[in-house]
Amino acid sequence: MKAVDRQVTFTVVLFVVLLFIPTFASQYIINIGFMVFLYAFLATAWNILGGYAGQHSLGHGLFLGIGAYVSTYLFVSAGITPWLGMWVGAVIAGVTGWFIGYLCFRYGIKGAYFALVTIALAEAAVYVATNIQAIGGAGGLEVPWKGNNFWIMQFGSRTGYYYVALVAAFLGVLLTLWIARSRFGYYLISVRENEDAAEALGVNTMKAKLMAITLSAFMTAIGGTLYAQYFTYMNPRSVFGEGPSVQILLFAIIGGIGTVWGPAVGALILVPIAEITRAELSGSFAGANLLIYGLILVLVMLFMPKGVLGILGSLGKGKKNSPGEIGHEPVGSK
Amino acid sequence: MSLLEVNSLTKYFGGLVAVRDLSFQVEEGMIIGLIGPNGAGKTTTFNMISGFILPSSGTVRFKGETLNGMKPHEVCAFGLARTFQIVQPFPEITALENVMIGAFVHYHNTTDARRKAGEMLKRVGMARRADTMARDLPLLELKRLEIAKALATEPQILLLDEVAAGLNAVEVEEVLDLVKDLNKDGITFLLVEHVMKVVMSLSHRIVVLNFGEKISEGTPQKVSHDPQVLKAYLGEEVLVA
């Protein structure tokens, strides 16, 4: 218990420190800060399902897109503030996630097959959105600028968005901290580690997985609204597509999946690298930034297959709270 | 009334009959052995009782309620726990956390579950292994861990699937003592076993399966002298007492 309190304290202190960054940092740094928090939050959401419950979704863009499109559509067509639309999108994404989970888990789809189903559904969403003219079809949707106004989540400077994303990431980490120490969290881990054994010990594995995917989808959609408000433009490919889906899970994998801080650490490492290499290199050597980014990913995967935190965890030789290996296949008892 | 009643249980896998018309009862406080040659249907019977597979026909009643159609986790919460023939640990968490998963059935709060899990580890003689990752434990301790996990769910009856398999003579002895102790504490057992010594020395009554059917039932002495059993299961030789 003490360890948890220390972690909560650390989280709160870090949050407070980060609140002061905008008072002296440039807009460029604040921009990077926003992206770090947004992706930390999204990867944290993915981590609940992928890291703790061990169900690797490669299609979280589906939920991101639902969040982005729903809040923006409500804002554009009915003037509903994204602060409200955000929750509508989250509920729709949560229900969608639950339904996908129900179909998959009901029929025992897991592992690579679950990943394939999620890719397929996110890809299908690209085409569905492309064919709905009410939400802009292939042209996408734009968030109209209505002036600096907190109540419609629009800010004149990047600092406002920075704070919103910071709060989201902060709450996401706190939630994960709670999950990691709760019965729910242990149930998710037991499902990941060995589903048959979990069932035999009284774990309702179906319910645990459904709760994980619902919560994960719900949170991802909230991230989708933040994404839409910040970038003010989306099209089907940019949110539902494989790009965001893969990015979200990269942060979690690089940081260390199934750990509380892994996704945030992953975002903290990768986002600045991506931004800086793009800023420095995209002018002179087009594509070189992507090459370097890819190289870093390969190196991390080679030398730290459990992610950055996974390595630290095993150096500290194994205390609690570090159940973090992916790809362990349960020994079936069929 | 018996604690566990198995009535005319039958399971077909396609055209193959794995278990046919099997009936037996387990009374409270007993240790009942279920034996038979490879493929006799012992594990299939276990899987039907614990809810992992649905019987083609027949019923399982536990504490007077029918278990048919219940999910494994419901069966467990109802007081019937099982272990697996091949140990099924949660490898990437500690021994204590492994046992906590079982304890959470009745203790929803992490502190209580941890305390209960600690007691159970102690009960099976593994207190000092609490912080070891399950993947680092040797087989004997994994077997003990399986029992501790199942005990943490506070079962009235415990189904052990070949708990002695893979252990050496000394280790078998240790596990036997543990089962006897637990039985004294009031836990009823249904054992599937291959190691004859285990069933013979431990069971109050034995049910013998062959090709999915019950061919004999009775005390170890009676069963071990039943010509049908000798023929089907033990060959023609006399059983060592």
Side-chain angles (χ1 to χ4, degrees):
Chain A
M1 297 316 291
K2 278 235 181 71
V4 178
D5 296 344
R6 267 212 303 279
Q7 291 211 45
V8 171
T9 313
F10 173 72
T11 312
V12 173
V13 169
L14 186 64
F15 173 70
V16 172
V17 169
L18 291 171
L19 280 179
F20 288 101
I21 298 271
T23 55
F24 55 84
S26 68
Q27 288 291 302
Y28 176 67
I29 297 291
I30 290 171
N31 167 53
I32 291 182
F34 169 85
M35 306 260 279
V36 168
F37 300 143
L38 175 65
Y39 281 111
F41 176 69
L42 290 171
T44 295
W46 181 90
N47 190 41
I48 293 169
L49 178 66
Y52 282 92
Q55 312 297 313
H56 301 151
S57 158
L58 296 185
H60 257 46
L62 175 61
F63 309 124
L64 182 83
I66 290 175
Y69 266 101
V70 168
S71 66
T72 305
Y73 178 73
L74 290 176
F75 183 55
V76 172
S77 66
I80 295 170
T81 164
W83 286 116
L84 266 180
M86 175 171 89
W87 300 106
V88 178
V91 167
I92 292 175
V95 170
T96 308
W98 181 90
F99 186 65
I100 293 170
Y102 182 80
L103 290 181
C104 286
F105 305 145
R106 168 75 182 74
Y107 295 102
I109 292 173
K110 51 182 141 181
Y113 300 98
F114 177 73
L116 286 175
V117 168
T118 56
I119 293 178
L121 289 172
E123 195 58 22
V126 172
Y127 293 100
V128 171
T130 305
N131 285 293
I132 300 178
Q133 287 315 315
I135 56 169
L141 266 188
E142 210 165 308
V143 183
W145 174 248
K146 298 268 170 81
N148 184 11
N149 181 352
F150 173 83
W151 299 109
I152 54 168
M153 212 192 282
Q154 289 194 342
F155 306 98
S157 82
R158 296 180 192 276
T159 311
Y161 299 102
Y162 174 98
Y163 284 129
V164 172
L166 173 59
V167 169
F170 172 64
L171 294 178
V173 168
L174 279 190
L175 178 68
T176 311
L177 264 178
W178 174 80
I179 288 175
R181 291 279 114 191
S182 70
R183 176 164 95 135
F184 175 53
Y186 277 104
Y187 274 11
L188 295 186
I189 291 169
S190 75
V191 167
R192 175 189 77 198
E193 294 285 305
N194 191 332
E195 217 170 314
D196 282 328
E199 269 288 329
L201 291 178
V203 179
N204 186 342
T205 55
M206 179 79 181
K207 186 174 156 198
K209 286 191 283 187
L210 286 177
M211 284 172 72
I213 194 171
T214 305
L215 179 61
S216 183
F218 184 92
M219 289 169 65
T220 305
I222 288 177
T225 298
L226 301 190
Y227 177 98
Q229 291 305 112
Y230 188 74
F231 295 105
T232 69
Y233 170 74
M234 76 208 70
N235 66 45
R237 183 64 59 194
S238 75
V239 287
F240 289 118
E242 67 292 329
S245 292
V246 169
Q247 258 193 321
I248 289 170
L249 81 120
L250 270 186
F251 296 123
I253 291 174
I254 296 294
I257 82 175
T259 63
V260 173
W261 285 96
V265 169
L268 183 66
I269 294 172
L270 288 186
V271 168
I273 291 176
E275 285 300 306
I276 291 165
T277 53
R278 191 174 61 197
E280 299 298 321
L281 294 172
S282 61
S284 42
F285 300 96
N289 58 318
L290 295 176
L291 209 64
I292 290 179
Y293 192 66
L295 191 67
I296 290 168
L297 294 183
V298 170
L299 288 177
V300 171
M301 283 296 90
L302 266 181
F303 296 107
M304 305 184 219
K306 285 181 178 180
V308 174
L309 284 196
I311 285 289
L312 294 181
S314 37
L315 287 182
K317 189 46 204 166
K319 279 296 120 160
K320 344 191 137 177
N321 211 5
S322 59
E325 183 170 310
I326 59 165
H328 178 84
E329 288 299 323
V331 190
S333 73
K334 286 280 137 66
Chain B
M1 184 189 68
S2 304
L3 190 60
L4 181 72
E5 289 175 52
V6 172
N7 296 314
S8 313
L9 211 54
T10 301
K11 180 68 190 179
Y12 295 96
F13 290 116
L16 180 86
V17 192
V19 174
R20 188 200 302 272
D21 202 25
L22 174 65
S23 302
F24 65 89
Q25 304 193 339
V26 179
E27 295 80 12
E28 200 159 358
M30 301 280 262
I31 299 178
I32 305 296
L34 191 60
I35 66 171
N38 280 329
K42 307 179 296 279
T43 296
T44 303
T45 304
F46 255 36
N47 284 339
M48 285 192 280
I49 294 174
S50 54
F52 275 84
I53 57 178
L54 278 175
S56 304
S57 64
T59 58
V60 177
R61 291 170 75 80
F62 177 54
K63 294 192 281 187
E65 305 265 345
T66 174
L67 296 186
N68 289 48
M70 270 197 197
K71 295 268 187 305
H73 67 88
E74 293 168 322
V75 173
C76 173
F78 194 44
L80 186 149
R82 69 167 294 177
T83 65
F84 293 89
Q85 188 172 348
I86 297 162
V87 288
Q88 304 280 338
F90 305 113
E92 295 294 327
I93 55 179
T94 66
L96 186 75
E97 289 171 324
N98 266 265
V99 182
M100 282 170 71
I101 304 289
F104 276 124
V105 173
H106 294 293
Y107 302 87
H108 292 195
N109 153 320
T110 309
T111 315
D112 297 341
R114 178 167 290 137
R115 195 187 54 238
K116 173 77 182 174
E119 287 166 14
M120 292 304 105
L121 275 183
K122 204 168 164 191
R123 188 75 190 74
V124 302
M126 279 184 60
R128 70 202 171 78
R129 292 300 222 171
D131 289 333
T132 308
M133 292 285 171
R135 67 171 148 107
D136 295 332
L137 293 172
L139 183 63
L140 173 64
E141 293 190 323
L142 284 174
K143 296 255 176 188
R144 289 174 178 273
L145 182 64
E146 290 295 294
I147 296 176
K149 278 155 65 185
L151 285 179
T153 68
E154 304 191 338
Q156 280 159 283
I157 184 166
L158 187 48
L159 278 59
L160 298 183
D161 198 349
E162 303 221 359
V163 71
L167 300 183
N168 68 34
V170 181
E171 294 169 338
V172 168
E173 210 55 58
E174 285 182 47
V175 171
L176 290 194
D177 289 342
L178 178 60
V179 172
K180 270 184 221 156
D181 273 6
L182 292 169
N183 182 241
K184 271 188 209 124
D185 292 351
I187 296 176
T188 307
F189 281 91
L190 178 61
L191 310 173
V192 158
E193 261 313 334
H194 246 96
V195 182
M196 290 309 298
K197 185 181 163 198
V198 175
V199 240
M200 290 303 160
S201 67
L202 217 54
S203 307
H204 298 112
R205 208 170 69 243
I206 288 175
V207 175
V208 188
L209 294 184
N210 193 24
F211 295 115
E213 292 183 69
K214 181 164 89 176
I215 56 169
S216 184
E217 180 172 0
T219 61
Q221 286 71 26
K222 183 191 157 210
V223 165
S224 60
H225 292 102
D226 186 327
Q228 258 205 302
V229 175
L230 296 180
K231 185 159 170 264
Y233 183 55
L234 302 161
E236 301 291 340
E237 286 174 38
V238 181
L239 180 70
V240 221

